[in-house]
Amino acid sequence: MSIQIKTLDQLKLMRKAGLIVGQALELMRAAVAPGVTSLDLDAIAADFLKKNNAQPSFLNYHGYPNVICASVNQEVVHGIPNERPMVEGDVMSIDFGAIVEGWHGDSAISVGVGQVSPENQLLMDTCEGSMWAGIAAAKVGGHLTDLSYAIEQYIKSENKYGKYGIVREYGGHGIGTEMHQDPHLLNYGPAGMGPELKAGIALAVEPMITRGTEKMRVLSDDWTVVTGDGSFAAHFEQSFALLPDGKPFVLTALDGGKAKLGELGVEISDLLV
Ligand code: MF3
Ligand code: CO
């Protein structure tokens, strides 16, 4: 498969999908609290899709049973929503995708339930920071693994509570008329390799890190990925594109990435606003 290059009109549809994903994730973030279940979050996402005439990306994807993935504590990704009430101190990772007129958006956040430990807060902040560093490293004329390198270096630079494990088996991906497209984006490795980045590329950037091992295990439900050592994990994801003006725009961020990329000295495109 080759990399799908999108026109500005196609990216406008991807922005519609991305905005729905971003808005739904904010509703779910606001609902996270002790006593709430991940199935409650799933219902919020399903309801929001219905109100906006959008379709779920995950439901029935290779038989996946729900609208969101909800992965708590030592669960890393692909957790199936359930009836367990969240408890104070949990780390809840919520992953959600939507389709508008055939175009996908995909994003994930990790959220602390009530007060979380400083160690788990830094775990989440480091994961999120590495995602933004990766997006900020994407330049027309640069290479795919410039993002991988920026992500890994950011994670390595934060070791106040010990070294983080970077998940090897899963990574980011191209996104467009399918949720998962070429290229696969590793969250580690040297810069300057892989395909050249061109205007019109859209990528989902999604680092997954743990407070311990890089080794993963899949539970007997055949979906839930957990850390091999039971250490807590975090997962953040945004879908972004490089626009015809050469500037990035974060399709799943409410502000297009303006604030976070601005802090990193990167100006976002105004072609989609
Ligand atoms: N959002 C996930 C990813 O980026 C995909 C979820 S898997 C599914 O890889 F089966 F739930 F769709
Ligand atoms: Co993804």
Side-chain angles (χ1 to χ4, degrees), residues 43-181:
I44 290 170
D47 180 61
F48 195 73
L49 285 174
K50 197 170 272 173
K51 284 193 178 121
N52 287 280
N53 292 311
Q55 282 73 50
S57 289
F58 299 0
L59 184 67
N60 298 324
Y61 181 81
H62 295 283
Y64 186 73
N66 285 83
V67 165
I68 67 166
C69 295
S71 309
V72 67
N73 298 341
Q74 77 286 350
E75 298 173 356
V76 185
V77 286
H78 304 169
I80 299 173
N82 61 34
E83 295 280 14
R84 172 189 173 275
M86 295 179 218
V87 297
E88 177 113 15
D90 280 349
V91 172
M92 175 57 75
S93 298
I94 309 165
D95 193 345
F96 177 53
I99 312 171
V100 171
E101 294 177 51
W103 294 89
H104 290 250
D106 186 9
S107 181
I109 52 175
S110 291
V111 186
V113 180
Q115 193 69 39
V116 300
S117 69
E119 289 87 348
N120 286 334
Q121 189 59 52
L122 190 63
L123 169 76
M124 293 188 279
D125 292 348
T126 302
C127 188
E128 181 174 13
S130 74
M131 174 190 69
W132 288 110
I135 296 170
K139 312 278 179 212
V140 170
H143 288 266
L144 180 68
T145 72
D146 298 349
L147 284 74
S148 311
Y149 181 76
I151 292 166
E152 180 176 25
Q153 294 311 308
Y154 186 97
I155 294 164
K156 279 187 168 164
S157 74
E158 190 49 81
N159 48 25
K160 181 171 172 192
Y161 298 116
K163 212 165 144 297
Y164 294 112
I166 303 177
V167 176
R168 317 310 261 194
E169 284 110 306
Y170 306 91
H173 49 91
I175 180 166
T177 49
E178 295 88 25
M179 171 170 59
H180 289 145
Q181 296 185 329

Side-chain angles (χ1 to χ4, degrees), residues 64-65 75 77-82 218-226:
Y64 186 73
E75 298 173 356
V77 286
H78 304 169
I80 299 173
N82 61 34
V218 179
L219 297 187
S220 57
D221 62 17
D222 282 340
W223 281 104
T224 314
V225 178
V226 299

Side-chain angles (χ1 to χ4, degrees), residues 157-238:
S157 74
E158 190 49 81
N159 48 25
K160 181 171 172 192
Y161 298 116
K163 212 165 144 297
Y164 294 112
I166 303 177
V167 176
R168 317 310 261 194
E169 284 110 306
Y170 306 91
H173 49 91
I175 180 166
T177 49
E178 295 88 25
M179 171 170 59
H180 289 145
Q181 296 185 329
D182 277 349
H184 182 64
L185 171 62
L186 296 175
N187 290 313
Y188 58 92
M193 318 224 311
E196 190 180 312
L197 300 176
K198 298 195 166 79
I201 196 172
L203 297 169
V205 180
E206 50 177 322
M208 289 148 263
I209 64 172
T210 83
R211 285 180 52 201
T213 186
E214 294 166 357
K215 295 227 162 59
M216 298 293 114
R217 200 159 62 77
V218 179
L219 297 187
S220 57
D221 62 17
D222 282 340
W223 281 104
T224 314
V225 178
V226 299
T227 57
D229 59 0
S231 61
F232 276 34
H235 175 215
F236 279 83
E237 176 175 22
Q238 298 273 12

Side-chain angles (χ1 to χ4, degrees), residues 4-22:
Q4 182 180 50
I5 294 294
K6 285 84 173 166
T7 64
L8 184 57
D9 282 344
Q10 292 170 336
L11 290 171
K12 284 178 182 166
L13 293 174
M14 288 189 72
R15 173 55 170 165
K16 280 193 188 176
L19 208 43
I20 287 169
V21 172

